[in-house]
Amino acid sequence: MKTKLVALATAAVFAAQGALAQDMVFTSWGGTTQDAQMAHWAAPFTEKGGPAVVADGPTDYGKIKAMVEAGAVSWDVVDAEYDWALQAGKAGLLEPLDFTVIDKTKLDPRFVSDFAVGSFYYSFVLGWNPANFTGDQPATLADLFDTAKFPGKRTFYKWSAPGVIEAALLADGVAPDALYPLDLDRAFAKLDTIKADIIWWEGGAQSQQLLASGEAPIGFFWNGRLAALAADGMPVGISWDQNITAADALVVPKGAANKEAAMKFIAEATSAEGQAAFAATTGYAPINLGSADLMDPAVRATLPDAQTAVQVNADMAYWAEHRDEIGNRWYAWQAQ
Amino acid sequence: MLSAIAARRRGSGLGFAMPAILLLLAFFVVPVAALLTRSVTEPEPGLQNYVTLLGNSTYARIFFNTFFVSAVVTLITVLIAFPVAWALAIMPRRWAGVIFAIILLSMWTNLLARTYAWMVLLQQTGLINRSLMALGLIDAPLQLTNNLVGVTIGMVYIMLPFMILPLMGVIKKIDPAILQAAALCGATKAQALWRVLVPLAAPGIASGALMVFVMSLGYYVTPSLLGGTANMMLAELIAQQVQSLLNWGMGGAAAFVLLVVTLGLYAVQLRFFEPGEGR
Amino acid sequence: MLLDFNKLGAWKWALSGICALMALFLLLPILFIVALSFGSSRWLIFPPPGWTLKWYEELFADPRWLGAALTSAKIGVIVMVLSVALGLLASLALVRGKFRGRAVLRAFFLTPMVLPVVIVAVALYAAFLRLGINGTLPGFVIAHLIVALPFAIITITGALETFDPAIEDAAILCGASPWEARLRVTLPGIRHGLFSAAIFSFLISWDEVVLAIFMASPSLQTLPVKVWTTLRQDLTPVIAAASTLLVALTVILMIAAALIRKGKSE
């Protein structure tokens, strides 16, 4: 009896391992974003003969580091922040991407690097609730920092990431081409002028709640979040003036079990079709240059794609280099 | 005879604690020690993580916040929980049952969902401020989030059951005759409360307060959503270092300092409140 | 007098008032969540512009919610049983034992509570990767047991300290074996403590998210992880709907239990 049980258990373990060896694991942040990624990237990938894709998550950098250190990596493709991806690539946590499988000629060069390609990109934009401002409506980043002209709480992304520091410098009059290297002293001095009026948002959903309820009538948001509010019938003001781009990246942790399948998956995810379908569902912009032609012009108009003329690109390489230093100062400043 | 009993009771010695000790040694002490060791080896061998941590006024402030917020939360929790636990212990059973059910219900709902609910309720445009204004009690909305008020409300909400339940058990077991004796000796109600009931309930208050205080030290989701960055707790800083910046050396150093300070406080508490081991 | 509700006089009303206020305080966010689950506003606008059942439809359309809830319940129950068992034994040693270093041991049992969970999570995850038990049910249970155990120990220790060991001695004098005395005298005497320990242990596991994120695998997701990712990403009232269903289920179970008790006593 006992040996039978052991045999059964062993068989079960092997069966599980067999399944793991075949299936590919894709990790992202969960919620509707990951659902869309599964629907528009994973499903076609499997249909075209690729292995089944299992969704895991949420993305956790600590987990990736521990996996790589232990040499037991269970995630094959991970959706991560782009600046983190560049830094992690340098730190040896990621596999170099195989560009014989992934066709980088079709991809937006802003979001291609040795260890990471864009998953999608988005812009930080000025948004406001028109119900709270009767006269002039905000238009520029300077207005975002002008509490005399536009009084009330303003909401900003809480975590140390490309976006808010750039906005402070631009609002202070720094020219877009002179942003880098970032003058942190100047940025924090500018942020200090409105610090008492800042409410931080920790996740996209919270930013929407703050704006919709009027708790923070003005703020700096991910464009897709404002588009979703508008699509739901909420009155929302959006100014694309000096919208600041940031991106998520697709990466393969070092030592991933299904490296080959992972590269093919990324090729599928960054294809013109995959990117177009995902962008239409989520309001994020595609990083494949061919996607625009596949999309409904009405949808395209709401994406950062259509706003490149007034766009400022956050320098991901600079961020990757200085991520720790900026992060430490950022959190210290917040806590003061 | 009594020594014979003592001998027979000797079974409940260290051996009883062994399963728990072994579990913690294997799955807590060894892994955590391995991680904390990194605080002196990463990014390079030495004590620089501790030098940074202890020599920086921001970190000092975050340490202070952590202990201050935890102390405020513990104090308010005790002040609310004591009368409630007392009432629950002696109320007619039907009413006690209803209140008890409400306490359990409040714990059953997901912590993050409860915190978000409080966040929306307490906002300047939230239900509470609007109700108070509609009632004419206030003219302008009160600032109830992103400050100490918000953290305290959110944390006390979570911690109350952890204080009430143990305390209720302790009060239930107090012999009413002792309080009758106090009354017979001429003690007023207030005297009986302070000199008899509270001291008799002290073990329950102590264990509940210990649980609430220590639990609060390690919390950050609720403080961060309701307290704003000015009330940043150490656990949030540690989570930043460990999960976002992957700076396990610094995260480990901060955790180690928190551990040492907390255990130090605990030692002080033991010395003052429970003198002598061989009680 | 202070322990006889009917002889409290004016204090009776003060105590009742405090209880009522606290009950209101505890109920407020829950009632708010219930109301939001029927509100039509995705952005938690209150009062909502209209009422709807669509969040419940979304909830039932996604089988992952139920799966996650069942996984959480399963892990929570196992953790509860183990935590109370180990916690009781450890507490007996701490309170009744006569060995040296009990105060140190007490502090030792407390440490998993002091360290921020993320430290425990990273450390355990790294260890589990090497042992190959990451993403498995035993791994999950061990992780939650580590953080639940201090709660059981503190609660049971507190209860044992107010329980007079002389009563156990009396039972032994009357011929009971030490184990019999413990099982039939001490355990019933500290049942409130055991009950609290069980509730706390279950709820620590049920509501724990940081360890859960590290211990989860595609086939092993708990409810807090699902709530966490959904709230951060979408803030959808589906979470309110899920919470409401849990609250409703609990209320039904509680009423049923009360009715059964009433039936028995009559």
Side-chain angles (χ1 to χ4, degrees), chain B residues 1 5 9 12-13 16 19 27 86 90 93 107-108 111 114 116 130 157 179 189 192 215 242 266 277, chain C residues 1-3 8 26 46 86 89 93 97 101-102 122 124 151 169 173 202-203 206-207 235 246 250 261:
Chain B
M1 188 68 206
I5 294 171
R9 270 219 324 249
S12 32
F16 275 32
F27 295 112
W86 176 17
I90 61 172
R93 208 166 141 184
M107 297 179 79
W108 184 244
L111 179 115
R114 281 181 281 166
Y116 262 82
R130 274 186 296 155
Y157 186 89
L179 283 140
K189 272 185 193 153
M215 221 172 140
V242 170
Y266 183 61
E277 263 194 17
Chain C
M1 64 185 168
L2 288 183
L3 289 176
L8 275 173
L26 292 183
F46 198 86
L86 293 184
L89 289 175
R102 274 180 301 143
V122 169
L124 259 188
F151 289 86
D169 293 348
L173 276 175
F202 178 81
L203 283 168
W206 172 257
D207 222 7
L235 200 82
L246 279 173
T250 321
R261 221 178 297 138

Side-chain angles (χ1 to χ4, degrees), chain B residues 164-185:
Chain B
I164 294 175
L165 263 58
L167 197 48
M168 186 181 85
V170 170
I171 296 179
K172 264 198 171 163
K173 290 231 294 292
I174 297 173
D175 188 349
I178 302 176
L179 283 140
Q180 266 159 17
L184 281 177
C185 297

Side-chain angles (χ1 to χ4, degrees), chain B residues 140-263:
Chain B
L142 300 172
Q143 175 79 37
L144 298 173
T145 53
N146 290 314
N147 57 17
L148 193 60
V149 180
V151 200
T152 310
I153 292 177
M155 301 264 285
V156 167
Y157 186 89
I158 294 161
M159 300 298 170
L160 267 175
F162 290 93
M163 191 74 223
I164 294 175
L165 263 58
L167 197 48
M168 186 181 85
V170 170
I171 296 179
K172 264 198 171 163
K173 290 231 294 292
I174 297 173
D175 188 349
I178 302 176
L179 283 140
Q180 266 159 17
L184 281 177
C185 297
T188 64
K189 272 185 193 153
Q191 280 172 329
L193 174 64
W194 283 114
R195 311 268 299 269
V196 184
L197 186 58
V198 172
L200 284 176
I205 298 177
S207 67
L210 177 70
M211 205 150 52
V212 170
F213 183 74
V214 175
M215 221 172 140
S216 304
L217 289 179
Y219 258 59
Y220 74 91
V221 174
T222 307
S224 115
L225 279 170
L226 291 171
T229 49
N231 291 296
M232 193 187 279
M233 306 271 276
L234 192 64
E236 178 165 2
L237 177 90
I238 292 172
Q240 286 309 330
Q241 295 289 342
V242 170
Q243 282 175 296
S244 174
L245 302 176
L246 296 186
N247 195 345
W248 290 5
M250 190 63 173
F256 187 67
V257 174
L258 179 67
L259 185 64
V260 168
V261 174
T262 310
L263 291 181

